[in-house]
Amino acid sequence: MSVLVISTDKLPTKLIELFASQVPGVEFRLWPDIGDPQAIEYALAWKPPPGELAKLPKLKAILSFAAGVDHLASDTALPRHIPVVRAVSEASRLTMSGFCISQVLRYHHRLALYESFQRQGIWKQVPPRDMTETRVAVLGMGVLGADLAARLQALGFAVNGWARSFRAFDGVTMFSGADGLLPCLASSNVVVCLLPLTPQTHGILDAKAFAAMPKDGYVVNVARGGHVVVPDLIAALDSGHLEGATLDVFEPEPLPADSALWRHPKIVVTPHTSGRMTNQRVALNIVAMLREVLSGQPLNNVVDWAKGY
Ligand code: NDP
């Protein structure tokens, strides 16, 4: 039985060697050297070239290297009846939550202001924020959002959650559906976007959304660049309505050198690093996912193409 590792990004050959050593009895093939397509039963995919997965007649499941599957959704030839399993793990939840919490705390402790004071040699205390008065909205209460919401609460923050369908989460004030978005934002000082990118969520953080937030609010986008309408965000920051934003994801990536985002004084830019783990950790997570899929147990974290994520 063979697993095809397929990506338009160059993957380290060491990775394939590690898979082979950890999952014995399986032949790993690295695209484009696919050999006999009839022998390939599983594909490990990251941004595969459109149409390539449709050429594998015996494919039983596709394993996505990432939690987001927009890199697969854009392949119109992708056979939709083949299950797609998303890569999520305890380590990826912790990594993403940790990054988001760092930005919430940066806002909460007014670190941007104190960093600017330091650059000017100014010793000045401004009124602190009370933990319970900082309410954080988590947009997308899925595998990652739910983890973040729980960890924020453990730190003492009040948390709003927004999802497509209503589900209760301990201690979280939940909002759902398109009608729930603006009411959710209206009471949220910090908004963290952890949504999948779908036609429904594209451009969801726009002028209307920013206007709904309280004055001096803060936006953290770690999901996909397409969620934010950049000119609307810049207008909300320049008008003084929003205090700042942390953007980790962009459309396109890498962020072009002439983008105004690089130099905006109220924006923190990070290069799609919020969910990054060491190669070793990524490889071990993939190995665990492969073992689970190959064991024949019911699949977890399977994409529902009817919902689009
Ligand atoms: P999940 O599929 O587990 O959760 C998605 C959540 O978003 C669910 O709560 C879902 O609602 C909600 N949602 C989807 N569509 C809508 C909508 N139209 N309106 C309201 N809520 C909606 O995803 P994950 O938590 O695993 O990952 C979320 C995203 O984070 C990924 O798709 C990816 O884009 C991004 N990501 C970014 C990384 C990075 O490196 N920057 C790393 C990993 C992920 P419901 O519960 O009702 O289904």
Side-chain angles (χ1 to χ4, degrees):
M1 190 261 293
S2 300
V3 173
L4 178 67
V5 183
I6 179 166
S7 169
T8 39
D9 286 354
K10 194 168 159 41
L11 297 175
T13 43
K14 267 200 178 137
L15 195 66
I16 313 298
E17 287 163 19
L18 186 131
F19 292 157
S21 70
Q22 296 290 315
V23 193
V26 173
E27 185 201 1
F28 287 88
R29 299 179 184 176
L30 184 57
W31 185 87
D33 299 325
I34 73 167
D36 176 11
Q38 298 279 344
I40 297 170
E41 293 182 18
Y42 297 92
L44 252 173
W46 170 241
K47 295 185 191 163
E52 285 301 296
L53 291 169
K55 294 179 187 165
L56 307 174
K58 297 283 165 61
L59 204 55
K60 289 184 179 160
I62 298 164
L63 285 70
S64 166
F65 263 93
V69 287
D70 39 312
H71 67 108
L72 292 168
S74 53
D75 182 352
T76 50
L78 190 82
R80 292 302 200 250
H81 63 281
I82 295 174
V84 172
V85 182
R86 303 186 303 119
V88 275
S89 63
E90 175 57 27
S92 62
R93 289 193 290 271
L94 184 57
T95 302
M96 180 55 90
S97 290
F99 181 93
C100 296
I101 287 167
S102 75
Q103 298 311 294
V104 173
L105 290 174
R106 179 181 162 79
Y107 161 86
H108 182 73
H109 291 288
R110 302 184 193 274
L111 292 185
L113 185 64
Y114 285 120
E115 282 162 13
S116 83
F117 285 175
Q118 182 190 346
R119 282 192 292 273
Q120 301 167 72
I122 297 173
W123 178 277
K124 181 179 167 189
Q125 293 178 334
V126 295
R129 293 179 162 122
D130 191 86
M131 220 74 181
T132 54
E133 284 169 9
T134 295
R135 183 169 281 273
V136 183
V138 180
L139 306 185
M141 286 291 287
V143 174
L144 297 175
D147 185 83
L148 173 63
R151 293 184 199 272
L152 284 168
Q153 286 192 88
L155 286 170
F157 290 107
V159 179
N160 285 350
W162 185 61
R164 209 170 76 117
S165 51
F166 184 85
R167 196 151 56 102
F169 292 86
D170 262 2
V172 178
T173 305
M174 276 303 291
F175 299 82
S176 59
D179 294 346
L181 178 62
L182 297 185
C184 171
L185 297 176
S187 57
S188 305
N189 310 94
V190 183
V191 171
V192 181
C193 180
L194 268 169
L195 289 162
L197 188 64
T198 65
Q200 290 74 37
T201 64
H202 195 275
I204 200 144
L205 291 174
D206 61 2
K208 244 177 29 192
F210 301 134
M213 288 175 64
K215 187 170 161 15
D216 298 329
Y218 198 95
V219 173
V220 179
N221 185 24
V222 285
R224 288 291 181 264
H227 288 119
V228 173
V229 179
V230 169
D232 291 4
L233 175 65
I234 291 178
L237 292 166
D238 288 348
S239 72
H241 181 61
L242 291 184
E243 182 177 301
T246 295
L247 304 178
D248 182 56
V249 282
F250 305 90
E251 207 173 76
E253 292 184 5
L255 182 63
D258 62 355
S259 168
L261 296 174
W262 281 115
R263 281 162 290 277
H264 198 288
K266 293 183 171 180
I267 295 178
V268 174
V269 167
T270 52
H272 202 142
T273 193
S274 56
R276 279 199 78 203
M277 296 175 283
T278 61
N279 287 345
Q280 175 80 358
R281 175 65 61 196
V282 171
L284 292 177
N285 289 343
I286 299 280
V287 164
M289 178 164 81
L290 263 169
R291 285 191 180 136
E292 205 175 296
V293 169
L294 298 179
S295 73
Q297 290 166 27
L299 301 176
N300 291 314
N301 299 309
V302 175
V303 174
D304 177 347
W305 286 123
K307 292 198 285 183
Y309 58 93

